[in-house]
Structure formats: structure tokens, C-alpha cells
Amino acid sequence: MTLEIGQTKEGLRFGYTTGSCAAAAAKAGTHMLLLGEEIRQVKLMTPKGICLYLDVEHIERYEQGAACAVRKYSGDDPDITDGIFVHAHVQKTEKQGIFLEGGEGVGIVTRKGLEQKVGAAAINRVPRQMILGAAEEVCREAGYSGGLKIIISIPEGRKLAARTFNPRLGIEGGLSILGTSGIVEPMSEKALTDTIYLEMKVLRENGSRMCYLVPGNYGSDFLKEVLGYDGKLSVKCSNYIGEALDDAVNLRMEAVLLIGHVGKLVKLAAGVMNTHSRQADCRMEVLASHAAMAGAEQKSIRQIMHCVTTAEAIELLKQEGLLHTVMESVMERIAFYLRQRCQGRIQTEAILFSREEGVLGETGGAVGLLEKIKGEDI
């Protein structure tokens, strides 16, 4: 039975993430192992605050373990994982604690720059917390203080992963267990760009002449936690950089400061204004061409072109002593394309960062604009 969670204002149905499926399966498996009761439905509270009641299928029980699965439901989000089963195998261990592993069809991280370390299962931070928290809840209920091992698997994962960008991102052998809220929130492209416009319009009509543009949570967190600026005047623009800049011009903003991760915003140096990987992925082409202009040897240029993540490419540039020079020329091109998109009608600046290096590059007026927007943000 498919759970209908609700719909957006546009009538699009919500779904739930692979992370929610994994946590629910782990909770059901732990319950059956420790309490000896076979259950066909499990209750799961998501980080979004929405309570799910998910059906449990493919149940197996034996002396030292239990296994079951929960079916993924993506609602109206176009997602190749819709309908797949996420399995959890739970067994007792002599060692204290709860240990989480990836099994069949769950990818392994092979490159630096992702949420998990190289060699770890591609189970992101929030789903990890959900899975472990669900198992801990049952342990408390059962009065169990021993050890558990939980193995998450997706039988169809390896086959489906070939249709995703996982191999290019450095995730081999399967899918990632994803989700930050536990809920899949579908949104049409028009609905999303309308939301961006509305957020900026509200700022403008409340007297703000400038704002920060951040593609998502990484940029928002960096703005507040690293740069130390309040994000009340920030607008999340997702991958729609060009549309957000158009909105700023049409709303007669005076200036916008774009702050984002290098893996996304480096594409701007090639004039790419929709940064979704389905639209374009020119990250290595940009970095390799600018490395060539900076005097990199042919071998290094080839190595950059074969990198999967920008973290890898940046490490190579550091080793060659070219990172500063390359980022300077990259930022010059970004500044050019930002001005071109806005036809010089508003001030446009940008700051690029990475988790490992912090600020990697900034356009000429970025620091000054930070201070100006801060003055408006008080």
C-alpha cells in the first residue's frame, strides 16, 4: 500500500526518501530481533516533522538476526528510485554499540569531497542519524544494551546507479542513501523559479536594495558559519542562477552577491547559468583550460580532465602551485558572465569556496559588497 503524505499547492504528491526507507526498515528489523514480534508497519518520525507509517515487506527472522525491506515512494518527483526496495539486515554483535554498513547495491565512496570518507558506504549524514536513531529507540524500548550491526542494501542499486551521476561523483557499485528531511518534495521548474522571484520581491518591497544569492544549504551555511554574516537577506536560487539574476534586474535591485561551492559555481566561468548536472557539467573543462593558461604541463591538464570531483582537481592544482593563479582567472571569467547576464545594470559579485580550502576565489568587489549588505541586514 502506498502512503499518500500530501500534495504541494500545485497538486504534486510528496514522497519519502531512501533515507526514510532505510531507517524504517532498520527500526522494523531491530524490533523483530529484540522484541520477537513480526510487524507489518512501522512508525517513523522524519526530520521534516512529518510522521510516516510505512509498510514492512520481505520479512526474514532467525536466531541472531532479522531482515526486512521498505518500498521507496517518490510521489510526483521524477526519480529512478521510485518503487525500489531498501533492505535492512539487523544482527546482534558481541561488541557494544550500533554499527552501520552498506551492503549490496549501496555505493562506496571512492573520491574525496563527498559527505563520507573514501571507502565508506554512501549513506549521507542525516540518513545515518535517522537509521541509528531508529535502532536506538527500539533498543531502549527492549532494554537491550548489547551490540548491533545494521546492513543496508538495495538489490537493484548497482543496475540503477549506472543511470545516475554517481560514478562521475566518485560513488561506485550502487546508489547513495540520501535525504535531509526524510520527505521528497516535488516541485515543478516554474514553481521553483516563481518562489525565487517571490523571495527576492519580498526583500525588495521591504526596502532591501541588495541581497546574497546562495544555491542551497552549503552556501547558506558558509555565509553564516564561516563568513559570519546573517543570512536574512539571502535568497536560495537552487541551480537557477541566470533566472535569479534576471529577477534581480527586473526588481531593480542594486547589487547581488553570489556565494556557493566551487563544484557548482565554477560552471559560471563557462557561461553556464543553470548549474544542474543534467544541463551541463563543464567543471573539469573550466579548471583544465585555466590551468593550461597558467602554464600547467600537459600531464597535469590530462589529470585534471580525469578528475571526478573538484576537490581532486583543486588538490592537483595545489600540488602544482597553480591554485591561486587558476582561481584568479576563473573569477575573472565569472565576473564577465555575471555582468553580461545582467547587462551591467546591477553590481554582481561572487565568492567561491570549498569545504577543504575555505574561500577559493572572489570577484573584485565581493568583499566590499559583503560589508554593504551587512549594513542593510542590521
Side-chain angles (χ1 to χ4, degrees), residues 12-31:
L12 299 175
R13 294 171 296 176
F14 291 111
Y16 39 88
T17 63
T18 49
S20 288
C21 295
K27 184 174 183 179
T30 306
H31 182 99

Side-chain angles (χ1 to χ4, degrees), residues 4 18 20 22 24 31 41 68 75 101 104 107 110 112 125 142 146 169 205 243 246 267 273 275 287 293 321 330 371:
E4 293 293 345
T18 49
S20 288
H31 182 99
Q41 192 176 74
C68 60
E101 298 179 6
E104 176 191 2
T110 63
K112 294 191 297 183
R125 178 180 59 84
L169 293 174
E205 291 187 356
E243 287 83 352
D246 296 344
K267 299 176 186 181
M273 292 287 163
T275 56
L287 293 174
M293 289 191 294
V330 164
E371 291 299 322

Side-chain angles (χ1 to χ4, degrees), residues 37-243:
E37 302 170 355
E38 185 172 296
I39 56 174
R40 292 287 176 174
Q41 192 176 74
V42 65
K43 177 182 176 182
L44 180 77
M45 179 58 73
T46 63
K48 182 76 172 177
I50 295 174
C51 189
L52 302 176
Y53 292 86
L54 303 181
D55 292 339
V56 180
E57 305 183 54
H58 299 294
I59 295 170
E60 296 180 43
R61 295 173 61 197
Y62 47 95
E63 186 177 352
Q64 290 297 316
C68 60
V70 171
R71 187 191 296 268
K72 169 73 185 301
Y73 173 59
S74 301
D76 283 320
D77 194 58
D79 184 355
I80 64 168
T81 65
D82 186 44
I84 66 171
F85 283 103
V86 180
H87 293 248
H89 178 109
V90 186
Q91 64 186 54
K92 293 181 179 179
T93 63
E94 294 182 1
K95 190 175 180 182
Q96 293 280 344
I98 302 177
F99 306 93
L100 178 59
E101 298 179 6
E104 176 191 2
V106 173
I108 298 295
V109 175
T110 63
R111 304 278 185 166
K112 294 191 297 183
L114 300 173
E115 275 202 6
Q116 302 303 319
K117 295 180 180 179
V118 171
I123 304 174
N124 282 4
R125 178 180 59 84
V126 173
R128 280 180 180 270
Q129 293 172 345
M130 292 173 67
I131 294 164
L132 296 174
E136 288 166 358
E137 180 184 334
V138 178
C139 288
R140 289 192 297 271
E141 182 184 349
Y144 179 73
S145 58
L148 290 178
K149 180 164 74 172
I150 302 172
I151 303 172
I152 304 298
S153 62
I154 305 174
E156 297 179 67
R158 182 179 290 273
K159 179 177 68 176
L160 289 175
R163 296 164 54 189
T164 72
F165 278 88
N166 273 13
R168 283 191 56 78
L169 293 174
I171 299 170
E172 299 289 344
L175 296 170
S176 307
I177 303 294
L178 300 171
T180 56
S181 69
I183 300 297
V184 176
E185 300 184 48
M187 186 174 283
S188 68
E189 182 171 306
K190 183 179 185 306
L192 184 50
T193 54
D194 284 350
T195 300
I196 296 166
Y197 176 81
L198 182 60
E199 282 191 38
M200 197 178 294
K201 183 171 182 285
V202 169
L203 291 180
R204 188 69 186 91
E205 291 187 356
N206 280 276
S208 298
R209 300 164 298 141
M210 324 172 193
C211 69
Y212 311 106
L213 282 180
V214 292
N217 290 334
Y218 285 163
S220 182
D221 292 345
F222 191 83
L223 173 66
K224 290 180 280 190
E225 296 171 9
V226 179
L227 298 179
Y229 290 83
D230 193 330
K232 286 185 293 185
L233 292 183
S234 66
V235 174
K236 285 188 180 179
C237 58
S238 185
N239 294 295
Y240 302 99
I241 310 294
E243 287 83 352

